[in-house]
Amino acid sequence: MQRGWTEGEEDVGNFLQKVKDLLTDPNNLSIVQKTGIRDKTREFREKYGINHQMVCDEILRLDVSNYSYTDDDHNKEIGGEFLIFGQFILPPIVDKPVQVYIKLKIRGRVVCMSFHEAEFPLNYPYN
């Protein structure tokens, strides 16, 4: 159920470099807390004991091969687009990797809209 479109490999690399430059300070990572709807990121982090620094570390491990696709930010007031990545991580309380869906954008800082178990297969055009 992939949506959106594919960015060029160089564009994805440039985006990730900006992310890594910003995350030299973990305070430049904003993990969005959703209210009024189910917050899959919060549920996932609580289930597996994943803290802010762990999310930051996993984002720093991303490379172009983790990129899946780009999609619009459907919040009309903010606009722009998100880049979607997939990453296998080993949460602290389990002994097998979990595929995580990671949805990022940059707005002066790194905004992580989603960091939770992938709910559908992700394609990786640069893997």
Side-chain angles (χ1 to χ4, degrees), residues 1-3 40 68-69 71 84-86 99-101 116-124:
M1 182 176 121
Q2 184 158 312
R3 297 164 266 188
K40 295 179 223 174
S68 186
Y69 64 99
D71 204 359
I84 313 303
F85 297 87
Q99 185 180 30
V100 178
Y101 171 90
H116 56 75
E117 283 183 79
E119 298 174 316
F120 53 88
L122 295 170
N123 296 317
Y124 302 103

Side-chain angles (χ1 to χ4, degrees), residues 58-111:
E58 291 301 332
I59 292 170
L60 286 168
R61 287 184 45 235
L62 294 173
D63 64 37
V64 173
S65 70
N66 296 108
Y67 171 76
S68 186
Y69 64 99
T70 300
D71 204 359
D72 288 318
D73 183 341
H74 300 290
N75 182 331
K76 301 298 182 209
E77 294 175 20
I78 298 171
E81 54 194 39
F82 284 102
L83 274 68
I84 313 303
F85 297 87
Q87 172 95 302
F88 281 92
I89 70 166
L90 187 61
I93 63 169
V94 297
D95 59 356
K96 68 177 190 164
V98 175
Q99 185 180 30
V100 178
Y101 171 90
I102 304 169
K103 186 175 182 178
L104 301 173
K105 77 183 317 184
I106 297 173
R107 292 200 63 222
R109 60 193 314 193
V110 179
V111 177

